[in-house]
Structure formats: C-alpha cells, structure tokens
C-alpha cells in the first residue's frame, strides 16, 4: 500500500470551501483520491464539489468514516483545526498552511503526545501515493506509481526530484513533504521506519536542507539500525551564510550546527549516497539500484 | 523580528518584571532631559543596536582606547559627555561584522548595585517542541562559550504547554540559579511573569543576560534581548510597530513589503526562484559551475505579476549583479504568471545583463510562449543544469 495513505484512505478537508481548498480537492478527486467530507464551521449541511460539508470533524467522521484530514485553513485558525482532527483520532493529518505561529505549534505538539495521529507538516506540500491518494498540493502529472519513497523538507525542490525519478523510469511509492517549519509533525526518521517496512519501496530519497537537526537524527538512526534499502540524499544550502533564515522558518545555520557540509558528512558516514547536484538525485538513485 | 533593549524592558515592565528606571534617547537634544529624569548618581549609557557584545564593542570613529558601547557614568556630566560621544557613531561588535552598526538610539539607565550575575533565556526547544527556560549561574558572559566549556552549568527546564509554568518548574529554576531568601521569593513571581510575557507576546527568544541579584537581595532584569515570531505579528499590531527599519538591509525591507524572502549575498548572479529549497538548490548548482550567487530570493507559492515585477526590480537594483537566473518549477505557481511578471519588469526597468529563464511545471507552454513572443533578449533553458551552465557562461564569458 506504500506508506501513510493509499486507496483505503478516506479523506476529509478542513477549509474545503476556500480558494486553495477547493482547487486542490477538485484535482485530488479528479485523480481518484477518495474525498468523503469537508469541514467548515457554519457551513454544515451544504455540499461542495459534490462532497458533503460538516460543521465539525467529529460530525464528519461519524457520518463518513473519514480517517485522514487535510487542513487548508489560514494561519490564525490552523492550529485549532489540527487539534480538532487529532482529537477525532485521524490517522493522518496534512497541513499545507504556511506561517502558523510557533507557540500554536507547541500546543499542537502537546496534543499529539499520546495520540496515534501522524501529522505531516505544517508548511508542507502534503503526502502523495501516485495513483491512489493525494493529500496536499503536489502536482499530479509529474508523478507515476513506482518504487521510490521520497521525503522532503522542501516544496518545489521535491517536484524536481519527483520529475527526475519519473524520468529514470523508477516512479514513486509515496512522497512525503515533512514541512519546512521548525516545529512539525513526523520527521525523516519516522518516514525511514515506514519506508523500511513497505514492500513497494525499493529506495528512499531524502531532500534535506540547512538548519535544524532532522538530517543528523536520520544519520544517527541509519548508523544504529541496518537499513534494508539504499538512501540517496541531497542537502540544499551549501553556500548558506550563518545566522540568516533562508526563506524556510527552519532553514537557518546556527553557530556550530546545521551546516549542509556537517549534515552531508554525517549522512555519508551512515552509508547514505549523496547527490552533489540537485539535478543528479534521480540518476544517483538509478545507479545505486542497479 | 527584533526590538531594542529599551523597548524590550518597557514590555517586560508592563508584565510586572523588575527593571531599572531608564530613558531612551532618540535624538541628541533628548540627552539632557533623559539624564534629568533619572535619580543618579550612577548612570549607564547603552547603545541601542540589534546586536550583542555592545560592552566590548569599539566605535569606528573613536580611537582603540575609547570606551565601548555600554558606559557606566558616575555623574550627570559624565553621562552627558558619554552620550554625546556615542550618539551617531558606528559600533563594531563581535556580532555586527566589520562594517558595524550606526548608533541612532541610546538608553540611559539608573545604575544598579550588583551582587551576582545570572543567565536566563526562554525559547522554543526544537527537540522537545516545548517552551523552555535556559538557566545558568554564569551570567554576563558569552553563553555559547559557557555551554562549550562547562555544559554542566547550563540547565534546561521545559514547560508543559497544558499546565503552563508550575510551582515545581519555579523551584527547579531557583535551584538552577542557586537563589535563596528574597531572591528566591522574587523568582516565584518573576519566572511566571517572563513565561507569560513570552507566550502572550509570541516571542521567539527572550534572553536576559544578565539577570542580577542586587546587594539588597532582590532580583532585577539588567539586560533584555527579545525577538518575536514574525508569523504571529498579525495578532500584535502594537509590537509590529516597534520594528526599527534602520537596523535592516534596504533591499530586504523592500522585499518583505512584497512578501518576498530575500537575502543579499556577495556574488554576481542574481537569482529568482519559487520555493526556498529550490532557491537554495539553484544557488548550490551555480556554485558547482564555479560562480557565486548574488542573492537568495524566493517568490513564494502564490506570486502575482506585481510580486514578480518587484522581485525583478530588487535583483536589478544590486550593482553587483552581472547576470540573472530565473528558475521556476510551477506547482501552485503558474509559469505564465512568472513570465508576464518578468516581461513587465523588463519593460519598466530595462535589462542590461544576460537573463536565463528556466520554466517547468504548471502552464509551462503558455509561460514559454510569453517569453518567446516578448521580443526580449532572454536565454531559454531546458532544465536547471542547462540554466546554470548558460548563466555562468554568459557572466564569465
């Protein structure tokens, strides 16, 4: 089934009537994603894009057995929307919203403790199992069902890697945009564990960048646990000046840590294949899989 | 977003934190009035710039023997002389870089009888996703050096978001600071005040270095450095007004007005890319082909023609730019919007350097048509590799 989402996923969309929500839900439906409900407080009882709309996540779940939620809610209300879906025991939540206040995410992370929910994002392009289910905003036509698991902190850079693995004839099992914020849901290590057990995935692409410690944690995990599949990584921001935030909230090199070089060295020592250029991600994977 | 020390202290005082009496000086003419408003006889004249290490900093215009950016003065006359000497000069500290920062604001404060100096900061700990206090008895020093040399002297205390700061947390902090008597009692009030100020004002960093115990046994906030979470300023218009734009790069301010993420760098190839990760990757590949990027610029996911035009103008206003690379992978962003913005901008500001455009993704054909039919001298590229090679070749010859 690939990881996180597949044919069996029953998606609801929080904020379905908004411009972004409408646009991406329609495209997801067109390509076969099972969108079973929308949630917009005050708009319960309506139908939008052929999908029934409810006032709350709990009502939507009771009526439709939705088990995953994609959040298209603006920053001021996004954290509350995520918490509502956590409390409704959604298996997977994706949040595309950019610029959620950090203190709100602290609250979200507290709500995630002791829950079974896997949160993807925020500030994420979502999760996409080609041919089965897309939650989020990834372009549909560059992906094709296949064997590469992709996990990324970035957005458009992921599209570059998706297009390359498609061009190499490999395709993708599942693509996961873990998000570009400092405080976020699942991380590289969580994805690695899921990809390891997934029959469809033959190799894993990691797109990291400067700042934070997610790549180092992944390197540590790979060092301590023999990994059954090859991992190819590209780390963006090799020139990044220290102390400056490179667009993404999480992309900042702090004194003594988080440089691209340090991350690359750690990953290499854990047996990860490094793509030196963003244009050789697909070809590097193709070579190691032969 | 950063604010000055005097603004930070005013904010903390509003939450009830003990700070010294002080007066900001925004113009030379304010100095007398500020000194007259303070009791004396000891005054501390402090440079207000968004950088640390002020005390040890040196003024460019003054000799190496001149005193630093924070000066204790033992009379009103001495305070006045210090303030007049410091105002308008360029202070170079460990954090400003060699160019230094012009001191356009001073803060004159009542002196304090210090017994011990402590270090306190509050931040969001990335690893635990909690608001956390960092506490150390080694105040008044470079905390990174303390963390490196004597890590056992740094204590981190995470606060549960559900309960907020508890009596137990306060007790841990008092122990970490080795506080007893009146100071420990002050801590019981002060630590919750600081936690609430952090959470309610959406700070991303609150650093008090030093927090001091006075000779009379009480606690006082002697310095305060505050940064706010820019993403939360929509709910704090009064804090957003504290922004001091003279502290920031002009092009970066202009970019933020248009909601663009821009960072000036030292190279000569200007870049315009959608998505921060792809922008970094684009700069990496420019470097791979032996050239240097002049900037980082992410036009974001929802760029309009106006935004792209603004971005283009910012790039071309940099005299170091000898060539421009536009790299767009359209997802949400449509290539035709980018193409129209680029054509519009060139019509407005002209194009005196080579321009390579690489478009891919949503509406790529429409985008390419707009560029090709514009009659402008634009070099088209098939992919990022091709684009990087073409712009490097065009600039280096």
């Amino acid at each position: 089934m690939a990881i996180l989402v597949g044919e069996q996923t029953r998606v609801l969309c929080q904020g379905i009537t908004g411009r972004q929500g409408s646009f991406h839900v329609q495209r997801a439906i067109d390509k076969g994603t099972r969108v079973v409900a929308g949630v917009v407080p005050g708009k319960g009882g309506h139908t939008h894009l052929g999908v029934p709309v409810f006032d709350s996540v709990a009502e939507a779940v009771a009526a439709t057995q939705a088990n995953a939620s994609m959040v298209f809610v603006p920053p001021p209300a996004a954290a509350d929307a995520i918490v509502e879906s956590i409390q409704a025991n959604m298996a997977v939540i994706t949040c595309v919203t950019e610029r959620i206040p950090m203190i709100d995410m602290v609250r979200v992370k507290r709500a995630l403790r002791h829950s079974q929910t896997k949160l993807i994002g925020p500030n994420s392009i979502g999760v996409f199992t080609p041919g089965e289910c897309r939650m989020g905003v990834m372009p549909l036509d560059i992906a094709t069902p296949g064997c590469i698991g992709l996990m990324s902190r970035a957005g458009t850079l992921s599209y570059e890697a998706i297009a390359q693995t498609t061009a190499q004839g490999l395709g993708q099992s599942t693509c996961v945009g873990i998000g570009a914020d400092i405080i976020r849901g699942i991380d590289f290590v969580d994805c690695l564990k899921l990809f390891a057990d997934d029959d469809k995935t033959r190799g894993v692409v990691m797109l990291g960048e400067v700042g934070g410690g997610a790549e180092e944690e992944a390197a540590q995990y790979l060092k301590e646990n023999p990994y059954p599949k090859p991992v190819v990584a590209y780390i963006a921001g090799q020139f990044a000046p220290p102390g400056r935030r490179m667009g993404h909230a999480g992309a900042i090199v702090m004194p003594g840590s988080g440089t691209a070089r340090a991350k690359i060295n750690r990953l290499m020592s854990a047996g990860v294949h490094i793509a030196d250029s963003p244009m050789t991600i697909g070809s590097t994977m193709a070579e190691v899989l032969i | 977003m950063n604010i000055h020390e005097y603004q930070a202290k005013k904010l903390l005082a509003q939450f009830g934190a003990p700070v010294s009496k002080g007066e900001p000086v925004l113009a030379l003419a304010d100095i007398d009035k500020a000194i007259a408003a303070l009791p004396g006889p000891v005054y501390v004249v402090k440079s207000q710039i968004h950088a640390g290490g002020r005390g040890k900093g040196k003024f460019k215009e003054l000799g190496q023997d001149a005193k630093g950016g924070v000066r204790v003065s033992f009379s009103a006359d001495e305070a006045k002389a210090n303030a007049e000497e410091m105002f308008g000069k360029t202070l170079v500290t460990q954090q400003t870089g060699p160019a230094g920062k012009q001191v356009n604001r001073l803060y004159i404060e009542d002196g304090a009888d210090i017994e011990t100096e402590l270090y306190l900061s509050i931040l969001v700990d990335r690893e635990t996703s909690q608001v956390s206090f960092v506490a150390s008895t080694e105040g008044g020093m470079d905390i990174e050096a303390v963390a490196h040399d004597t890590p056992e002297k740094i204590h981190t205390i995470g606060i549960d978001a559900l309960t907020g700061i508890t009596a137990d947390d306060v007790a841990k902090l008092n122990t970490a600071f080795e506080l007893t008597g009146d100071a420990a009692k002050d801590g019981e009030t002060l630590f919750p005040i600081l936690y609430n100020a952090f959470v309610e004002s959406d700070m991303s960093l609150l650093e008090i270095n030093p927090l001091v115990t006075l000779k009379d046994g009480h606690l006082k906030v002697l310095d305060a450095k505050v940064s706010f979470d820019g993403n939360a300023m929509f709910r704090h218009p009064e804090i957003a007004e504290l922004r001091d734009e003279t502290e920031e790069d002009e092009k970066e301010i202009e970019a933020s007005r248009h909601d663009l993420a821009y960072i000036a760098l030292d190279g000569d190839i200007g870049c315009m890319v959608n998505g921060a990760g792809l922008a970094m990757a684009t700069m990496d590949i420019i470097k791979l082909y032996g050239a240097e990027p002049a900037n980082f610029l992410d036009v974001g996911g929802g760029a309009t023609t106006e935004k792209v035009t603004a971005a283009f103008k910012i790039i071309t206003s940099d005299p170091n730019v000898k060539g421009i690379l536009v790299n767009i992978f359209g997802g949400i962003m449509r290539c035709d919007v980018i193409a129209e913005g680029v054509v519009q901008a060139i019509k407005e500001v002209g194009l005196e350097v080579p321009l390579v455009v690489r478009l891919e993704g949503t509406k790529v054909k429409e985008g390419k048509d707009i560029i090709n039919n514009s009659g402008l001298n634009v070099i088209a590229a098939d992919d990022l590799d091709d684009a990087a090679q073409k712009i490097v070749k065009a600039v280096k010859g």
Side-chain angles (χ1 to χ4, degrees), chain A:
Chain A
M1 69 153 274
I3 68 165
L4 294 163
V5 296
E7 279 171 343
Q8 78 298 340
T9 305
R10 299 174 65 83
V11 178
L12 74 77
C13 176
Q14 291 172 271
I16 192 171
T17 53
R19 196 173 56 89
Q20 286 244 355
S22 295
F23 180 75
H24 290 290
V25 164
Q26 186 61 60
R27 285 171 59 122
I29 292 172
D30 290 347
K31 294 282 177 170
T33 299
R34 291 168 68 177
V35 181
V36 298
V39 172
V40 180
K43 291 193 179 165
H46 290 76
T47 300
H48 186 69
L49 310 174
V51 174
V53 179
F54 300 86
D55 285 322
S56 72
V57 174
E59 287 171 61
V61 170
T64 67
Q65 289 81 52
N67 55 14
S69 170
M70 51 181 176
V71 177
F72 280 96
V73 173
D80 284 340
I82 298 171
V83 170
E84 189 187 349
S85 270
I86 295 169
Q87 286 168 348
N89 290 320
M90 290 286 123
V92 172
I93 303 171
T94 61
C95 183
V96 169
T97 312
E98 227 179 303
R99 301 190 181 175
I100 298 180
M102 197 154 54
I103 210 79
D104 294 3
M105 279 309 299
V106 168
R107 211 155 41 79
V108 168
K109 289 290 277 191
R110 184 64 183 84
L112 280 169
R113 219 192 285 174
H114 311 303
S115 89
Q116 297 299 310
T117 301
K118 294 215 170 4
L119 171 66
I120 300 167
N123 196 358
S124 148
I125 50 174
V127 58
F128 184 16
T129 296
E132 298 186 36
C133 177
R134 183 194 72 154
M135 296 172 64
V137 300
M138 282 185 233
L140 292 145
D141 38 12
I142 53 172
T144 188
C147 66
I148 301 304
L150 181 131
M151 53 187 192
S152 171
R153 283 168 66 188
T156 46
L157 178 58
S158 315
Y159 307 163
E160 201 72 70
I162 293 171
Q164 287 175 33
T165 47
T166 294
Q168 292 287 341
L170 297 167
Q172 304 82 31
S173 52
T174 301
C175 307
V176 191
I178 63 170
D181 280 1
I182 298 170
I183 308 292
R184 58 180 172 241
I186 64 167
D187 234 312
F188 286 141
V189 171
D190 304 290
C191 294
L192 281 171
K193 288 177 185 169
L194 293 169
F195 281 130
D197 294 335
D198 175 43
D199 294 340
K200 241 173 104 179
T201 303
R202 287 180 55 214
V204 179
V205 168
M206 173 200 291
L207 300 181
E209 60 192 36
V210 289
E215 295 81 3
E216 287 86 340
E217 285 161 20
Q220 190 69 23
Y221 171 78
L222 291 169
K223 215 167 201 174
E224 289 166 2
N225 303 274
Y227 201 70
K229 302 165 189 190
V231 180
V232 169
Y234 169 72
I235 306 297
Q238 297 174 29
F239 66 89
R244 305 302 308 268
R245 198 168 59 79
M246 305 308 289
H248 286 156
I252 179 165
V253 177
M254 297 308 276
S257 76
T259 64
R261 183 41 54 190
K263 287 172 190 285
I264 288 169
N265 290 343
R266 292 280 287 276
L267 288 165
M268 280 174 82
S269 75
V272 173
H273 305 269
I274 300 295
D276 293 322
S277 156
M279 292 310 289
T280 57
I281 298 162
S283 56
T284 304
M285 181 53 93
E287 277 163 31
V288 300
L289 275 180
I290 288 167

Side-chain angles (χ1 to χ4, degrees), chain A residues 20 24 75-76 99-104 106-107 109-110 113 137 139 142 154 156-157 159-160 163 182-184 187 209-210 212-214 217 234-239 241 244-248 251 255 276-279, chain B residues 124-127 129-131 144 160-162 198-199 202-204 229 231-232 234-235 252 259 261-265 274-278 280-285 287-288 293 296 327 329-332 358 383-385:
Chain A
Q20 286 244 355
H24 290 290
R99 301 190 181 175
I100 298 180
M102 197 154 54
I103 210 79
D104 294 3
V106 168
R107 211 155 41 79
K109 289 290 277 191
R110 184 64 183 84
R113 219 192 285 174
V137 300
I142 53 172
T156 46
L157 178 58
Y159 307 163
E160 201 72 70
I182 298 170
I183 308 292
R184 58 180 172 241
D187 234 312
E209 60 192 36
V210 289
E217 285 161 20
Y234 169 72
I235 306 297
Q238 297 174 29
F239 66 89
R244 305 302 308 268
R245 198 168 59 79
M246 305 308 289
H248 286 156
D276 293 322
S277 156
M279 292 310 289
Chain B
V124 176
D125 186 337
R126 194 195 68 84
E127 273 171 41
S129 302
Q130 280 185 325
V131 174
E144 274 150 22
D160 188 328
L162 271 190
F198 184 92
V199 172
D202 279 292
M203 295 179 187
S204 55
D229 176 2
N231 292 344
F234 66 86
R235 54 192 179 201
E252 291 177 18
D259 208 16
Y262 171 89
I263 292 171
L265 296 165
N274 69 325
L278 188 59
M280 285 189 265
T282 304
M283 299 159 79
D284 286 347
I285 204 165
K287 272 208 135 153
L288 212 59
F296 166 94
N327 179 29
F329 205 120
I332 306 172
R358 179 271 177 136
D383 61 35
L384 179 52
D385 220 29

Side-chain angles (χ1 to χ4, degrees), chain B residues 14-196:
Chain B
Q14 284 165 0
F15 278 90
V19 299
S20 295
K21 197 169 160 38
E23 294 288 328
V25 172
L26 306 185
L28 263 178
D30 296 345
I31 292 173
D32 286 331
K33 206 172 63 191
I35 291 170
L38 296 170
V42 180
Y43 305 83
V44 186
V45 185
K46 304 172 112 176
S47 307
Q48 300 293 290
I49 56 169
H50 290 175
R54 295 169 298 167
K56 292 198 181 84
K58 289 285 176 198
F59 287 99
K60 252 188 176 171
E61 295 84 351
L62 308 176
Q64 277 300 306
D65 302 337
K67 285 189 280 181
V70 175
R71 299 182 180 181
V72 181
S73 315
F74 296 93
S75 71
D77 287 344
E78 193 188 341
K80 184 178 175 176
N82 274 327
E84 285 176 349
E85 188 176 81
M86 292 157 74
F87 196 91
K89 302 285 196 310
T90 312
L91 185 61
V92 180
T93 80
Q94 248 183 2
Q95 292 184 13
T96 59
K101 282 198 162 178
Q102 193 175 20
V103 177
N104 299 315
R105 303 182 190 197
L106 296 170
Y107 189 48
I108 306 182
E109 233 183 18
D110 194 19
D113 283 328
I114 300 165
E115 179 72 34
T116 56
E117 298 189 41
L118 312 168
Y119 174 92
L120 179 152
S121 65
I122 308 180
L123 44 78
V124 176
D125 186 337
R126 194 195 68 84
E127 273 171 41
T128 61
S129 302
Q130 280 185 325
V131 174
S132 299
F133 281 78
V134 179
S136 175
T137 52
E138 309 301 294
M141 312 185 17
D142 175 7
I143 197 65
E144 274 150 22
V146 177
H148 184 263
D149 300 338
T150 48
E152 71 281 2
K153 288 187 172 166
I154 306 257
H155 303 271
T156 305
I157 292 139
I159 309 296
D160 188 328
L162 271 190
T163 58
I165 187 168
T166 62
D168 191 39
D169 297 324
V170 170
K172 281 186 199 160
L173 284 163
N174 273 331
T175 306
F177 287 126
E178 300 172 9
L179 296 179
T180 54
D182 282 343
K185 236 184 152 60
D186 284 356
E188 288 168 21
T189 328
L190 177 61
F191 304 140
I193 283 174
L194 296 177
Y195 175 77
N196 291 333

